[in-house]
Amino acid sequence: MLLSLMRKHAKSWIIKVLITMIIMVFIFFFGYSYISDEGVKVAEVDGEIISYVEYQNAYRDLLKNLQEQYKNMWSDNLIETFDLKNRALEGLIENKIIAKEAEKIGLDITDKEIREKIMTYPAFQYNDVFDENRYKVVLSNNDTNPEDFEEATTQQLLQEKLIQFLQTFLVVSDQEVLDQYTYYNQKVKIGFILFPSKDYMDSIKIDQALMTKYFEEHKEEYRVPEKVKIAYIAFNPQDFRDQVKLDDQEIEYYYEDNQDQFTREREVRARHIMFSLPSDAPAEQEEKVKEKALSVLEKARGGQDFSELAKEYSEDISTKDQGGDLGYFSKGRMIEPFEEAAFNMEKGQISDLVKTTYGYHIIKVEDIKEESIDGLEEVRDQISDILISNASIDLANEKALSLMDQMPYDVDLAQFTSQHDIAVINTDYFSQDEPIPYIKGDAKLRQSIFSLQKTDVSELIEFNNIFYIIQVVDKKPSYLPEMGEVSDQLEIDYAAYQAALEAKSAAERYLARLREGTDWDELAKTMNMKPETTDFFTRMDSPEVIGVTPDLNDAAFKLSENNRYPDAVLENEDGALVIRWEGEERIDKEKYKQEKGQYADALMLLKRLSLYDTWLKRLKDQTDIDRSKFEKYK
């Protein structure tokens, strides 16, 4: 009634006075922020205000992105886990700093640049052409309007321009590229002798005082992680399949609406004879391989059995014994030149030589299956299974949501389910690094569960097509145990620690003799040791024969023909190692010439990112940032 009156007499001075009075009452009782969040200050950057509305929009976007990642495993407690509120504010602060610095430098973004950038996004295109209606629909479906999206695009373009501006001061020299390439591609080979810790275990005597000292020094290693105990209800769609009733019309409608699912692509069955040729083979080698392939092609076209020729001449070991038979394949399964040739041949036809990255091929098409659509009766059972599966998922979901709607705010899941004759499953305690009992789960699901507090109930969670309602029954905080609680494991660890020390001492004595000039082979023979040698490896590799050994690569690449032994022994989980330089393999200069551009680009990217991060951090340190008002909005 009142709203109708106000609309009808909107221009009346009486109504204007009434509206003014209402506004004044709201301001008096609720404060100005009730009228306009735009004016509420969350933070200041060199005197420039970040409003509550700006903050809310940034926070909403971050929240939406994270919810999209976690989907049905989302929990509101993850907001705190990922510190979303602070991240939203810091992002806005950085945007203000970037915009201000860009203005100083004289950088700006034109409407044309924004428009061109937006038009390149595939999500807004139809048949590879920008579609304005699609643009608006996609934004609307993601709770975003064009103004906000264009503002975000402006910030992105501004950041890109700043990076380009900073990049103008960067130079990557030929020597830097060579050094980088050498670092990643130079190889070394080492000899080594292992002193296994296990060989010293029998001589270890447990000293209680020393073991107590060891425990105090390594106490953190025995920390018991936070653990939770949960109760949950599972809604498995398989349990609802019997409730689904289908009629023939539903099956027919699905068949008509999803013809592409039942369309069989055109397939070719072919044999081939392959003649291997490296991609970087010299012309002389290629000519020789091609000549051999042509001679076999002549035999094939002369009527000799193609299968037997493949067994004799083909260098494709995976099909050679089957006479080169590749079976049936559709488009997209083979390398492009091979596929193009095979799909343009007739049944029984033998191709000319076809060159691919593998070498030369002779192809014979044995059979062709044209594109076809399976009949309804052929796929009726398949469609029925799809429809029943979809319907049972919907039923399980609806049942779970209906049950959640009936739950009181402070529900006790076990008590509630007993009243509704529903099975609840209780787990034992488990940590975030352990599989969830019965469910197993993944890292995201465990993270979602551990973000809940004691007695909290999750939202409806879907994992592996099963719906769950989960309640945290109890939480045990992480703690450091008393020595007596871990005595058995402690004794094992202490003995292993002492054995490792003994192995290290023996290795150090051995290394000292080598560095004094004792011959490697003679000492090994005298001490009854068995030296081994690795293959050549780069700094990025870990020699399999040794296994993961901290500092191995650094130590190995510091050695040389004139300095064959390191200053110290190395240690891994098996014991102590003495290593010796055996040789090096320098970079392939021809390969370096081919890959130089890639390494230069990668090095420039690393420099650019490092410079940008350093530049932004310096600007933040120099900027007057006031976050004092933010606390009440967190």
Side-chain angles (χ1 to χ4, degrees), residues 42-313:
V42 173
E44 273 188 61
V45 180
D46 274 345
E48 188 175 348
I49 289 174
I50 294 176
S51 72
Y52 182 70
V53 169
E54 285 180 278
Y55 165 72
Q56 279 290 73
N57 287 340
Y59 171 71
R60 180 201 63 197
D61 291 343
L62 276 179
L63 180 62
K64 188 164 53 178
N65 288 336
L66 198 61
Q67 286 173 332
E68 182 62 29
Q69 290 179 44
Y70 276 75
K71 298 187 184 300
N72 292 323
M73 289 180 278
W74 173 256
S75 162
D76 284 343
N77 299 73
L78 290 171
I79 293 170
E80 187 175 342
T81 302
F82 286 99
D83 197 21
L84 284 195
K85 294 180 179 180
N86 281 319
R87 282 171 60 186
L89 179 64
E90 290 307 309
L92 288 170
I93 289 171
E94 289 178 5
N95 285 346
K96 295 284 185 189
I97 292 171
I98 288 169
K100 187 175 179 182
E101 196 65 18
E103 187 179 356
K104 277 185 190 177
I105 297 168
L107 300 177
D108 63 354
I109 305 299
T110 66
D111 291 344
K112 182 183 177 185
E113 288 174 304
I114 297 168
R115 187 166 57 252
E116 287 176 349
K117 179 70 174 178
I118 289 172
M119 290 174 73
T120 63
Y121 288 114
F124 305 142
Q125 295 176 353
Y126 180 73
N127 289 335
D128 297 327
V129 178
F130 177 75
D131 185 301
E132 188 172 357
N133 287 331
R134 190 181 184 91
Y135 170 60
K136 291 177 179 177
V137 168
V138 170
L139 292 185
S140 176
N141 289 341
N142 287 276
D143 298 324
T144 303
N145 58 55
E147 291 77 16
D148 288 344
F149 186 77
E150 285 158 23
E151 176 60 30
T153 303
T154 302
Q155 286 295 332
Q156 180 189 348
L157 288 170
L158 201 55
Q159 185 174 353
E160 289 173 2
K161 275 195 176 183
L162 272 168
I163 291 174
Q164 288 171 2
F165 173 77
L166 293 170
Q167 189 177 337
T168 59
F169 301 102
L170 290 178
V171 176
V172 174
S173 68
D174 287 347
Q175 187 60 49
E176 285 179 302
V177 179
L178 179 59
D179 290 345
Q180 186 87 338
Y181 187 87
T182 301
Y183 182 85
Y184 284 109
N185 292 279
Q186 186 180 15
K187 294 182 179 181
V188 70
K189 178 167 68 172
I190 60 171
F192 69 95
I193 292 174
L194 174 67
F195 291 76
S197 299
K198 63 181 182 181
D199 291 354
Y200 300 86
M201 286 292 286
D202 292 342
S203 64
I204 301 301
K205 306 296 181 187
I206 302 298
D207 182 306
Q208 286 296 326
L210 290 177
M211 188 166 71
T212 300
K213 183 183 178 186
Y214 170 84
F215 176 70
E216 291 301 324
E217 291 173 351
H218 297 81
K219 207 168 187 177
E220 194 61 39
E221 296 172 18
Y222 295 91
R223 176 176 288 280
V224 177
E226 179 186 34
K227 294 189 176 186
V228 298
K229 183 178 185 180
I230 63 172
Y232 69 87
I233 313 169
F235 300 85
N236 191 333
Q238 293 294 326
D239 299 334
F240 292 81
R241 289 180 70 90
D242 292 343
Q243 299 178 30
V244 179
K245 305 299 179 188
L246 292 180
D247 57 43
D248 289 342
Q249 194 173 49
E250 287 179 88
I251 295 173
E252 289 167 10
Y253 283 161
Y254 187 91
Y255 177 75
E256 291 168 5
D257 293 341
N258 297 275
Q259 289 279 296
D260 56 320
Q261 288 186 28
F262 311 112
T263 299
R264 295 180 184 270
E265 295 181 51
R266 186 171 186 261
E267 290 184 318
V268 167
R269 182 185 175 188
R271 295 179 185 272
H272 81 136
I273 304 170
M274 187 181 85
F275 304 86
S276 296
L277 182 70
S279 57
D280 57 351
E284 185 180 331
Q285 183 183 355
E286 180 170 359
E287 189 60 36
K288 192 174 180 181
V289 171
K290 187 175 181 181
E291 187 178 324
K292 180 182 177 183
L294 285 169
S295 70
V296 176
L297 176 60
E298 188 177 344
K299 292 179 181 181
R301 286 181 169 169
Q304 290 193 33
D305 188 287
F306 195 92
S307 175
E308 292 303 318
L309 288 172
K311 288 178 181 178
E312 183 176 352
Y313 294 105

Side-chain angles (χ1 to χ4, degrees), residues 334-508:
M334 297 294 176
I335 196 165
E336 192 172 332
F338 189 101
E339 178 184 284
E340 186 177 351
F343 277 87
N344 283 288
M345 292 166 62
E346 301 294 330
K347 181 178 177 179
Q349 186 178 350
I350 295 173
S351 72
D352 294 328
L353 293 187
V354 177
K355 188 178 180 184
T356 72
T357 53
Y358 296 103
Y360 284 100
H361 307 258
I362 303 170
I363 305 168
K364 181 179 181 182
V365 171
E366 296 280 355
D367 192 22
I368 297 172
K369 289 182 180 178
E370 297 297 342
E371 182 181 295
S372 62
I373 299 176
D374 291 334
L376 175 59
E377 293 310 313
E378 294 178 78
V379 295
R380 182 178 291 276
D381 290 344
Q382 180 185 343
I383 294 173
S384 178
D385 186 64
I386 292 170
L387 292 174
I388 291 173
S389 294
N390 291 343
S392 61
I393 288 171
D394 290 341
L395 286 172
N397 187 36
E398 288 168 12
K399 176 70 174 177
L401 289 172
S402 173
L403 197 67
M404 288 197 78
D405 287 342
Q406 300 172 50
M407 290 181 183
Y409 175 74
D410 54 350
V411 67
D412 179 312
L413 205 58
Q415 185 179 347
F416 178 81
T417 51
S418 67
Q419 295 168 356
H420 290 76
D421 195 27
I422 297 171
V424 65
I425 298 171
N426 290 281
T427 72
D428 202 349
Y429 289 96
F430 61 93
S431 71
Q432 194 166 342
D433 293 329
E434 296 175 317
I436 304 166
Y438 316 119
I439 299 175
K440 305 303 181 187
D442 59 11
K444 284 184 178 177
L445 179 55
R446 293 195 297 273
Q447 190 171 32
S448 184
I449 289 172
F450 273 80
S451 72
L452 299 172
Q453 300 304 312
K454 183 177 177 179
T455 73
D456 280 357
V457 177
S458 70
E459 299 294 329
L460 186 61
I461 289 173
E462 182 183 359
F463 182 74
N464 283 349
N465 293 325
I466 298 176
F467 298 94
Y468 297 94
I469 300 172
I470 298 173
Q471 182 171 46
V472 174
V473 176
D474 194 21
K475 263 195 169 186
K476 287 183 177 179
S478 172
Y479 71 96
L480 290 171
E482 295 298 323
M483 185 170 162
E485 295 179 60
V486 293
S487 56
D488 291 344
Q489 186 60 48
L490 175 61
E491 190 167 314
I492 293 170
D493 294 344
Y494 174 70
Y497 170 74
Q498 290 295 337
L501 289 179
E502 292 293 329
K504 183 180 179 182
S505 294
E508 286 173 338

